[in-house]
Amino acid sequence: MAHAATPMPLSAPPSGPLSGRIRVPGDKSISHRSLMFGAVALGETTIEGLLEADDVLGTGAAMRALGATVTRLGEGAWRVAGLGVGGLLEPESVLDFGNAGTGSRLTMGLVGGHAIAATFVGDASLSRRPMGRVLNPLREMGVEVIARAGDRLPLSIKGPKTPMPITYRLPMASAQVKSAVLLAGLNTPGVTTVIEPVATRDHTERMLEGFGASLSVEIGSAGERIIRLEGRPDLRAQHVVVPGDPSSAAFAVVAGLIVPGSDVTVENVLLNPLRTGLFQTLIEMGADLTIENERLSGGERIGDVHVRASKLKGVVVPPERAPSMIDEYPILAIAAAFAEGPTVMEGLDELRVKESDRLAAVARGLEANRIACLEGETSLVVEGRQAGVEIGGGTVATHLDHRIAMAFLVLGLAADTAVSVDDVGMIATSFPSFRSLMEGLGARFAEV
Ligand code: S3P
């Protein structure tokens, strides 16, 4: 789990046209969940296309420590022999989640629903991120927490003998918090209810239903989603096929749009409507982006995303779209730097508590490369292309954040002079094949 102590800087010089067809690795959200749900289902869950990146491997190790048998069968092919709801065992050592917010927070929910104790640790980035958002509802369910001030990692939790079902209204748009409460609700007698004022990615709901949970989603009078989960279901092992991660595809898609002369297709991408805000925004910006070969796989819409280099224009991205593209703002900011006119992004409060303060990290990275922007408390305005200004030439601080590293390498491919990032080690947390796939499209990177 530990990130290599020595930073690995990399530089992206301006590139010739990118072209070709690629497949990006499996969706990170679905990969984490397939291992977790497999661990609490009865029987052998098999997974095809699992994302084999540090964050997800950490979840696999945690499920093993909690008693499930997790076996790698081949590339992306995994088997999880589960213990059934309520069957998790107390781990004998700490659970190390490295950089992974999703892995750690969802596992807190799972552990909190069992009468076992576990200690959670992570890297410097994860240890700075707020965990109270998950611990508070778990405390209401009867979970004991030992944490330092501010509810940061490292921390320990112990689930009660019989958790209390709660009705929890999410104070922030977070699929991780929603999922943690629902996962604790799995081993709670009665009905656990989560109310989401704004819809966030719904993989937990869809997949739990697929594993046999009794779960309903109702839309309330103010448009809120009311999710009710019946506790103590018999979850049954499933075969899960993980589609390509739209949040990883985003880097090749934007590169294909901003590097002149490019023509790029990313095949087999998850197109769940709660994940496609970036593609919608790029189309509004004038991108030549089409979805080809659209089909259904494992209950999810998937397709091939085809882009050709395009003249983009600045747009206003409404705050209500943020949950459907929350991980894509860094790469959207790069697309916006090549647009005609400003792009206004609002409702970005959650960006401040990602792997880094992404709002600040993006703004500093843009400034270091002579791209004008205005950082507000919860908003970002990126001025488009300015006549006579040569962009690029800067070195970007990545703050242990994989998406900051990848976004600014993509900037370099389309800038006037090379862009360097101070560390690419973290890219392995979500997209280990980023460099080789981009090189397959024609990009070249240089060690610095
Ligand atoms: C995720 C939810 C989002 C997202 C993260 C994955 C998930 O986090 O940023 O990369 O799989 O549930 P929040 O729930 O904190 O918004």
Side-chain angles (χ1 to χ4, degrees):
M1 248 352 59
H3 170 52
T6 325
M8 293 187 280
L10 194 69
S11 167
S15 171
L18 303 174
S19 70
R21 304 178 72 86
I22 57 169
R23 280 189 176 221
V24 293
D27 184 64
K28 183 146 73 88
S29 295
I30 294 179
S31 294
H32 280 300
R33 287 164 175 79
S34 58
L35 292 167
M36 291 177 187
F37 301 170
V40 288
L42 279 175
E44 290 193 344
T45 287
T46 44
I47 309 166
E48 214 178 299
L50 186 88
L51 168 64
E52 294 180 332
D54 290 349
D55 278 9
V56 173
L57 298 176
T59 290
M63 293 308 113
R64 222 176 254 138
L66 290 164
T69 307
V70 181
T71 316
R72 183 175 194 264
L73 305 173
E75 203 188 320
W78 289 67
R79 183 175 58 217
V80 184
L83 301 158
V85 168
L88 295 181
L89 306 174
E90 193 159 270
E92 287 172 8
S93 52
V94 298
L95 304 178
D96 184 350
F97 286 94
N99 195 247
T102 308
S104 57
R105 291 187 175 127
L106 269 58
T107 303
M108 285 177 199
L110 270 183
V111 168
H114 286 70
I116 58 174
T119 297
F120 293 71
V121 301
D123 71 4
S125 154
L126 191 59
S127 304
R128 279 192 292 267
R129 298 179 67 184
M131 296 296 161
R133 51 179 54 204
V134 167
L135 299 175
N136 289 336
L138 293 181
R139 286 177 173 117
E140 285 183 35
M141 298 176 86
V143 176
E144 274 177 58
V145 179
I146 302 172
R148 61 199 172 92
D151 282 343
R152 296 325 201 237
L153 258 52
L155 59 84
S156 299
I157 67 176
K158 183 166 191 275
K161 270 212 175 67
T162 311
M164 295 256 294
I166 58 168
T167 294
Y168 193 69
R169 191 181 173 86
L170 291 181
M172 71 287 291
S174 168
Q176 293 178 0
V177 177
K178 165 177 67 178
S179 302
V181 175
L182 292 174
L183 293 190
L186 271 182
N187 194 35
T188 298
V191 176
T192 295
T193 306
V194 178
I195 302 171
E196 280 199 304
V198 191
T200 64
R201 66 189 68 193
D202 59 357
H203 308 303
T204 296
E205 298 92 303
R206 284 172 182 255
M207 291 177 71
L208 277 181
E209 275 200 299
F211 274 80
S214 155
L215 180 144
S216 68
V217 182
E218 187 196 325
I219 306 300
S221 54
E224 73 278 25
R225 289 175 84 237
I226 306 165
I227 306 152
R228 295 189 181 87
L229 172 73
E230 193 83 58
R232 306 213 159 139
D234 282 331
L235 297 187
R236 289 178 302 273
Q238 297 296 311
H239 180 64
V240 181
V241 180
V242 185
D245 194 329
S247 301
S248 296
F251 299 104
V253 164
V254 168
L257 290 171
I258 62 176
V259 176
S262 297
D263 187 329
V264 169
T265 302
V266 187
E267 297 175 345
N268 196 43
V269 179
L270 171 68
L271 297 173
N272 177 312
L274 292 166
R275 297 290 299 281
T276 49
L278 173 73
F279 300 148
Q280 184 186 348
T281 303
L282 291 171
I283 290 169
E284 289 172 8
M285 293 173 82
D288 179 350
L289 183 158
T290 49
I291 305 293
E292 295 166 357
N293 197 14
E294 211 174 318
R295 55 210 186 268
L296 277 176
S297 166
E300 290 281 11
R301 200 162 69 94
I302 62 168
D304 304 339
V305 183
H306 181 188
V307 288
R308 294 191 197 88
S310 304
K311 236 168 105 46
L312 301 175
K313 59 177 194 299
V315 293
V316 177
V317 188
E320 59 275 12
R321 195 177 295 163
S324 69
M325 53 179 295
I326 193 65
D327 292 335
E328 280 65 80
Y329 283 100
I331 192 63
L332 174 64
I334 302 306
F338 293 87
E340 196 187 313
T343 293
V344 180
M345 309 170 204
E346 291 167 332
L348 305 187
D349 26 325
E350 281 297 303
L351 281 198
R352 297 250 179 232
V353 290
K354 292 295 175 190
E355 285 82 332
S356 67
D357 173 347
R358 279 192 182 149
L359 195 35
V362 167
R364 298 297 84 72
L366 293 173
E367 287 161 5
N369 288 288
R370 295 189 289 266
I371 296 158
C373 65
L374 185 67
E375 176 194 354
E377 200 38 50
T378 62
S379 65
L380 180 67
V381 180
V382 180
E383 298 301 340
R385 212 62 233 239
Q386 315 275 305
V389 179
E390 294 223 327
I391 64 173
T395 296
V396 175
T398 53
H399 303 285
L400 296 177
D401 190 327
H402 54 133
R403 297 198 202 281
I404 298 298
M406 291 186 278
F408 281 95
L409 289 172
V410 169
L411 169 64
L413 301 178
D416 301 302
T417 34
V419 173
S420 297
V421 300
D422 66 357
D423 187 16
V424 293
M426 301 315 293
I427 292 175
T429 62
S430 71
F431 192 178
S433 52
F434 168 79
R435 181 174 179 176
S436 61
L437 284 175
M438 295 303 294
E439 285 176 343
L441 294 172
R444 291 292 167 264
F445 300 98
E447 261 73 32
V448 282

